[in-house]
């Protein structure tokens, strides 16, 4: 199949909140957009804005060389595209999934004659089409596909290519989201400790923001230590000291009637690293504790 459609022409499968936000941004930028959704009613408002609504997923895929999927999950992508001719198509999957799912989907698409790039969206729907919001999308897989369609892909949000391994976009996505939830856990614990104690949340908020910002150095220092595997040079707060001090955090939580379940896993990890070999690990930075997380 030869693709004769213009570069600013594309198909979008999936019109949930994120898919609809993507569609509106491409339409506002003047792109020719064909859309399909399992529930046809969701396409109505976009038709009024200029989108062509395909009656079937197969018709939508046939309409353009660039096909973007933004569906519920990997199984939805498979069921939607199963049996559809993908020869000559460029498939960009923005459906949230795992690295393994992305690699399997890439092999599946390539076996059917399509180029494949996976994407991990680091934005909420209201950030799409708003450059100052700072949202972007990780892409990985076919570099040729990405280079061909980069201008189109950058319309909704910034585009960051992170390698030809199709799983790397999902890996970066989940790594950043995992760090975010760890941060949320600590913030939640802090508010729980002070709740009902005459400390107004609005007064604690700027202190939390300032402190967490000051601790941001840990991101870079951990990267350096993991690269060098040197966990002892230049240590300011040793593992032994932090494990000893962690008891205060746990006792305070107990006194305040607050569960320590959000912070105890990390404190336990530090303690395990120390007790495994106090002489070897006592003087380390806490970054070495994360080695215990690896199962292989």
């Amino acid at each position: 199949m030869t693709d004769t459609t213009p570069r600013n022409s594309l198909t979008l499968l999936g019109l949930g909140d994120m898919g609809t936000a993507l569609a509106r941004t491409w339409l506002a930028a003047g792109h020719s957009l064909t859309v399909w959704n399992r529930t046809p009613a969701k396409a109505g408002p976009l038709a009024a804005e200029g989108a062509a609504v395909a009656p079937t997923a197969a018709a939508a895929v046939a309409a353009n060389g660039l096909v973007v999927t933004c569906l519920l999950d990997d199984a939805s992508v498979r069921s939607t595209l199963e049996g559809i001719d993908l020869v000559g198509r460029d498939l960009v999957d923005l459906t949230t999934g795992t690295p393994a799912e992305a690699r399997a989907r890439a092999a599946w698409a390539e076996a059917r004659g399509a180029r494949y790039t996976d994407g991990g969206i680091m934005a909420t729907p209201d950030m799409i089409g708003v450059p100052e919001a700072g949202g972007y999308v990780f892409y990985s897989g076919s570099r040729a596909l990405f280079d061909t369609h980069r201008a189109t892909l950058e319309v909704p949000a910034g585009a960051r290519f992170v390698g030809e391994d199709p799983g790397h976009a999902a890996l970066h996505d989940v790594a950043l989201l995992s760090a975010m939830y760890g941060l949320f856990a600590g913030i939640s614990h802090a508010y729980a400790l002070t709740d009902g104690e005459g400390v107004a949340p609005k007064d604690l908020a700027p202190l939390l923001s300032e402190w967490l910002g000051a601790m941001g150095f840990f991101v870079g220092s951990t990267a350096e230590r993991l690269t060098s595997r040197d966990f002892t040079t230049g240590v300011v707060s040793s593992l032994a000291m932090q494990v000893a001090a962690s008891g205060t955090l746990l006792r305070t939580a107990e006194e305040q009637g607050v569960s320590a379940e959000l912070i105890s896993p990390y404190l336990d990890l530090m303690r395990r690293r120390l007790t495994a070999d106090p002489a070897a690990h006592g003087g380390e930075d806490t970054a070495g504790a994360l080695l215990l997380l690896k199962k292989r």
Side-chain angles (χ1 to χ4, degrees):
M1 182 181 296
T2 301
D3 176 19
T4 59
T5 55
R7 290 283 174 83
N8 64 348
S9 176
L10 72 154
T11 286
L12 174 63
L13 305 178
L15 298 175
D17 290 344
M18 181 60 75
T20 298
L22 293 169
R24 288 202 161 115
T25 305
W26 276 313
L27 288 170
H31 285 59
S32 175
L33 180 67
T34 298
V35 298
W36 173 87
N37 192 70
R38 196 175 300 278
T39 305
K42 288 190 175 182
L46 294 172
E49 296 174 35
V53 180
T56 65
V61 170
N64 294 293
L66 174 59
V67 178
V68 178
T69 55
C70 189
L71 297 165
L72 177 63
D73 52 24
D74 183 66
S76 299
V77 176
R78 185 183 189 93
S79 63
T80 297
L81 295 177
E82 194 69 60
I84 293 177
D85 183 6
L86 296 178
V87 175
R89 294 299 174 239
D90 284 342
L91 179 61
V92 177
D93 188 8
L94 299 183
T95 303
T96 301
T98 70
E101 287 172 339
R103 292 174 184 128
R105 183 64 50 224
W108 180 90
E110 290 161 6
R112 286 156 179 76
R115 294 191 297 187
Y116 179 91
T117 294
D118 197 69
I121 303 176
M122 304 307 299
T124 54
D126 61 336
M127 295 168 69
I128 297 299
V130 185
E132 59 270 25
Y136 59 88
V137 181
F138 287 123
Y139 291 97
S140 62
S142 170
R143 181 74 201 220
L145 183 161
F146 177 77
D147 289 342
T148 298
H149 300 290
R150 182 167 189 162
T152 297
L153 297 175
E154 286 181 331
V155 169
R160 304 188 184 188
F161 190 79
V162 290
E164 296 191 10
D165 181 331
H168 277 187
L171 183 62
H172 280 72
D173 180 13
V174 173
L176 267 59
L177 290 176
S178 297
M180 178 190 75
Y181 281 112
L183 179 67
F184 287 175
I187 292 171
S188 298
H189 184 80
Y191 278 122
L193 288 176
T194 56
D195 186 52
E197 289 289 334
V199 179
K202 65 180 180 62
D203 293 333
L204 185 63
L207 300 176
L208 275 173
S209 294
E210 180 182 23
W211 178 246
L212 293 175
M215 292 299 102
F217 75 90
F218 187 70
V219 176
S221 67
T222 298
E224 293 175 0
R225 293 189 184 283
L226 287 175
T227 300
S228 66
R229 285 301 197 260
D230 178 358
F231 300 112
T232 57
T233 301
V235 172
V236 176
S237 299
S238 70
L239 182 64
M241 184 192 78
Q242 294 205 45
V243 168
S246 68
T248 300
L249 306 185
L250 297 174
R251 291 195 304 274
T252 300
E254 181 69 23
E255 291 173 5
Q256 294 299 107
V258 172
S259 170
E261 63 190 286
L262 294 180
I263 63 168
S264 59
Y266 187 71
L267 302 182
D268 289 344
L269 195 71
M270 292 195 300
R271 189 172 296 106
R272 283 172 50 206
R273 175 74 169 176
L274 178 64
T275 57
D277 191 337
H281 302 313
E284 290 181 345
D285 178 90
T286 57
L290 72 84
L291 299 178
L292 297 178
L293 295 175
K294 300 289 288 186
K295 295 181 179 179
R296 55 180 173 82

